[in-house]
Amino acid sequence: MKFYLIDRENWQRKEYFEHYLQQQTSFSITNDINITVLMENLKKKNLKLYPAFIFMITKIVNAHQEFRTNFNAEGQLGYWEEMLPSYTIFDKQSCTFSCVWTSNFTTFTEFYTQYEQDIETYNGTDRMFPKMPIPENNIPISMIPWCSFTGFNLNIHNGGDYLLPIITGAQYASINGEYRLPISLQFHHAVCDGYHAGIFMNELQKLADNSAEWL
């Protein structure tokens, strides 16, 4: 997958990037997404929420350069042409999880088929990373379906140079006849501001509301 280098000296974000990278400043935002329409559409087609959640997140990430900006393995700053979802799956036997990744999501149907195949192949392996090699252009996505939350932090320090967003969902709840899904986003301030967090949340809500168009 192509990695586009960023010219730091002539980058519009240079001052912000260097300031927050030096401070190693990250921030998180948590919000409830109304998934009432999404759940209705999933139920009509007998589809699962988790792969739909992964698909929506990845679609948003790939629509914005800020969410694909990171250092590559050579320490160069740039952004990936496309990100692939790296997500956790739970093993009920051992009560541990595995991290797998899935490609093929030009359409949700294509992604869902590959997702089901990966779950069948790699769940229950008792390995943290059973699907190798892991592509460098991956975005971390997970869900905690056993409880809800009003805030959540997952920080990857890695020398302070991990710039990609980290996305975590929680157990959804029925509130006043609507289904609400808590979503926590973790950002590195060197590449993202509150404006970008707002874009992420708003586009996620829009995808859930218009889910009949892509399911």
Side-chain angles (χ1 to χ4, degrees):
M1 183 54 59
K2 188 171 179 57
F3 185 76
Y4 298 93
L5 297 179
I6 291 175
D7 180 3
R8 289 176 62 166
E9 290 305 312
N10 297 300
W11 190 21
Q12 183 181 10
R13 193 174 174 82
K14 178 179 184 293
E15 182 180 3
Y16 304 89
F17 176 80
E18 293 183 350
H19 175 77
Y20 288 118
L21 185 67
Q22 191 275 330
Q23 287 190 342
Q24 295 189 20
T25 301
S26 62
F27 69 95
S28 61
I29 180 171
T30 302
N31 191 25
D32 283 351
I33 300 298
N34 188 330
I35 58 168
T36 307
V37 174
L38 173 62
M39 293 299 289
E40 291 173 353
N41 289 326
L42 289 171
K43 187 177 181 179
K44 289 176 185 177
K45 297 192 174 186
N46 195 29
L47 298 172
K48 300 172 184 176
L49 172 61
Y50 191 36
F53 170 68
I54 296 169
F55 181 83
M56 291 190 297
I57 293 297
T58 311
K59 190 175 182 65
I60 296 169
V61 167
N62 282 326
H64 300 278
Q65 178 182 318
E66 292 84 2
F67 306 143
R68 291 177 277 122
T69 300
N70 201 15
F71 292 102
N72 65 10
E74 288 72 42
Q76 299 168 306
L77 178 67
Y79 60 94
W80 294 100
E81 184 178 24
E82 179 186 50
M83 302 298 291
L84 303 178
S86 174
Y87 55 92
T88 55
I89 55 176
F90 186 68
D91 184 349
K92 294 181 180 179
Q93 295 281 339
S94 63
C95 293
T96 58
F97 66 90
S98 296
C99 294
V100 298
W101 56 273
T102 295
S103 56
N104 286 338
F105 52 92
T106 303
T107 66
F108 178 69
T109 301
E110 291 175 327
F111 170 74
Y112 197 91
T113 299
Q114 186 62 53
Y115 166 88
E116 292 276 82
Q117 292 175 2
D118 285 334
I119 296 298
E120 182 178 355
T121 301
Y122 298 108
N123 198 12
T125 60
D126 291 326
R127 294 173 58 196
M128 189 171 182
F129 302 105
K131 186 177 181 180
M132 301 294 285
I134 303 171
E136 194 175 348
N137 57 317
N138 74 84
I139 191 77
I141 303 170
S142 61
M143 184 170 280
I144 305 174
W146 307 279
C147 66
S148 185
F149 54 56
T150 56
F152 181 82
N153 271 284
L154 177 62
N155 302 292
I156 301 178
H157 291 291
N158 200 38
D161 61 357
Y162 188 85
L163 306 179
L164 296 173
I166 305 168
I167 305 98
T168 308
Q171 182 184 70
Y172 67 86
S174 178
I175 302 174
N176 297 324
E178 296 181 336
Y179 289 111
R180 297 278 176 169
L181 177 65
I183 303 294
S184 179
L185 308 176
Q186 189 79 17
F187 293 102
H188 200 302
H189 211 344
V191 292
C192 288
D193 306 319
Y195 168 76
H196 304 103
I199 286 176
F200 204 118
M201 287 295 188
N202 292 335
E203 291 194 2
L204 185 58
Q205 183 64 68
K206 186 176 180 180
L207 282 170
D209 291 340
N210 299 322
S211 51
E213 298 177 1
W214 53 266
L215 280 177

